[in-house]
Amino acid sequence: MSIALIPGSFDPVTNGHLDIVERTAKKFDHVLVAVATNSRKAAPLFTVEERLVMLEDVLRPLPNVRAQPLRGLLADFALEHDVTAIVKGLRAVSDFDYELQMAQLNLHLSGVDTLFMPTAPEHSFLSATLVREVASYGGDVSSMVPPVVAQRLKERFAR
Ligand code: PNS
């Protein structure tokens, strides 16, 4: 049984994340989406629990995909869950340096490989950071995130 692990902050989940999850779900028996707090990033907009609720909602149509919180090291989580491969989306060459370093670190710590999947071109500009910024100014993000996420962003930034 093959298991893919897709880790990230998902603050919030975007259509770009979903594209990667959906395509991975066609290639592995099971997909674990692991929601982490990235210690390198500023204070999150949504708590891990809030992000999980949104993810559970949007992942419901995908029967072989499950979302879980990730506490601690990704390498430990990958070993505990008998993961076949970690899957990361790449939007542009600029993502590559950091992702390569993380992939090599995780291989060193766990022996688990990371596979890179290029984001579909229509999502290549998309990031959760930009979505948060547009939403914070009252901009329309409905083409960038699932409807439930657009609604939660509207509520969060309501004045
Ligand atoms: O969506 P992000 O913020 O780019 O995801 C980064 C994430 C969560 C995958 C990374 O920070 C991570 O793996 N965190 C878990 C802790 C860990 O293993 N750290 C060492 C590798 S950076």
Side-chain angles (χ1 to χ4, degrees), residues 57-68:
D57 199 87
V58 300
L59 298 178
R60 202 161 291 131
L62 303 170
N64 62 334
V65 181
R66 197 154 47 92
Q68 272 187 237

Side-chain angles (χ1 to χ4, degrees), residues 7-9 36 38 41 70 72-74 88 102 105:
S9 304
N38 186 339
K41 286 187 178 167
L70 165 58
L73 278 179
L74 182 65
K88 299 295 291 278
M102 275 204 289
L105 171 72

Side-chain angles (χ1 to χ4, degrees), residues 15 18 57-58 141-142 144-154:
N15 290 343
L18 271 185
D57 199 87
V58 300
V141 293
S142 59
M144 305 177 210
V145 294
V148 65
V149 177
Q151 182 58 35
R152 293 291 286 110
L153 284 164
K154 213 179 222 174

